[in-house]
Amino acid sequence: MNRRTIVIGSLVLGAAAFAGGAWQVARRREAAQTAAVAETLQAQPDALVRPHSPILGSADAPVTLVEFFDPSCEACRAFHPAVSRLLRDHPEQLRVVLRYAPFHQGSDEAVRILEAARMQDRFVPVLDALLDQQPRWAAHGAPRLDWAWQVAGEAGLDLAKAGSDRLHPAITAVLNQDMADVEVLQIRGTPTFFLNGERLTDLSIEKLRAAVTDAVNAQ
């Protein structure tokens, strides 16, 4: 074995050890955050689901999936069909509670569009349309909110009424409360899911589907 081989082998082993150590640190940090959030929810259980929160599915379903989402978030768009499929698969057993986490520029306006749509009983079609057409309006750093409004109009929103409703105090209150809960619950990215009050970690669409299916089957 020559010196070059020894050096390369040492570097590979060092990199592997560093990666393993970083993974363990990340896992410990994640576990500490999960424990802190659980403690917060014991003290402030209403921080997870508010009376104003939109509910998809059966309101009295035994399994509750809470999603903190951003209308401009690509990952939220990717998860949306899976969440919709779960609702179709478990129409009586599952309810999805949506919470707003408008981290991206312009997302607060998209939330106002959604809440104005809710006032017109057009929440789901406008939500579906905004997420489906997200690449059209949600360019990061330069969102085209005029296009977002156009997309909502194409989904059946009365734009004239919504334009006057968008600054309604109730909509502003929803935004303020959800952002306050985002801070309290240490939501740092979207989507973030809670299943029956427990935060889901190491998330993928497949793991979300499995977790919800297990929770439904446990009823």
Side-chain angles (χ1 to χ4, degrees):
M1 181 180 296
N2 59 36
R3 179 172 177 174
R4 183 172 181 271
T5 302
I6 293 173
V7 170
I8 292 174
S10 298
L11 289 173
V12 170
L13 289 173
F18 176 81
W23 180 83
Q24 289 181 354
V25 169
R27 295 291 290 181
R28 284 197 294 268
R29 185 182 299 116
E30 185 178 87
Q33 183 185 39
T34 299
V37 170
E39 185 176 342
T40 297
L41 284 174
Q42 285 186 338
Q44 303 181 51
D46 292 343
L48 193 56
V49 178
R50 297 289 179 180
H52 65 248
S53 301
I55 295 176
L56 308 180
S58 176
D60 57 355
V63 176
T64 298
L65 181 68
V66 178
E67 178 185 359
F68 284 84
F69 85 106
D70 181 332
S72 302
C73 164
E74 293 98 332
C76 297
R77 179 175 185 258
F79 271 85
H80 184 64
V83 172
S84 298
R85 176 61 184 269
L86 285 168
L87 283 166
R88 291 195 299 272
D89 290 345
H90 311 291
E92 301 301 325
Q93 298 90 359
L94 176 67
R95 68 171 184 159
V96 175
V97 180
L98 295 178
R99 304 298 308 275
Y100 300 119
F103 292 137
H104 291 96
Q105 181 182 347
S107 291
D108 55 341
E109 181 71 7
V111 169
R112 290 186 183 277
I113 294 173
L114 288 170
E115 285 297 296
R118 188 147 63 119
M119 289 181 171
Q120 298 181 27
D121 198 26
R122 299 296 299 167
F123 182 83
V124 171
V126 171
L127 173 66
D128 289 344
L130 284 179
L131 291 176
D132 180 63
Q133 297 295 316
Q134 187 190 84
R136 179 177 166 191
W137 63 269
H140 295 331
R144 289 298 307 270
L145 295 168
D146 54 336
W147 289 0
W149 279 101
Q150 182 178 335
V151 167
E154 292 168 356
L157 185 66
D158 182 335
L159 294 180
K161 186 175 187 309
S164 62
D165 286 341
R166 60 178 288 277
L167 295 179
H168 193 286
I171 292 180
T172 300
V174 167
L175 264 167
N176 290 342
Q177 183 63 69
D178 278 20
M179 284 308 295
D181 290 337
V182 161
E183 186 63 28
V184 165
L185 295 174
Q186 302 182 46
I187 307 299
R188 299 292 180 257
T190 54
T192 294
F193 292 95
F194 290 78
L195 182 60
N196 286 342
E198 293 189 10
R199 184 171 183 159
L200 299 179
T201 58
D202 191 25
L203 195 62
S204 68
I205 290 174
E206 293 74 18
K207 289 179 180 178
L208 174 65
R209 184 181 297 116
V212 169
T213 300
D214 288 346
V216 167
N217 290 339
Q219 298 303 309

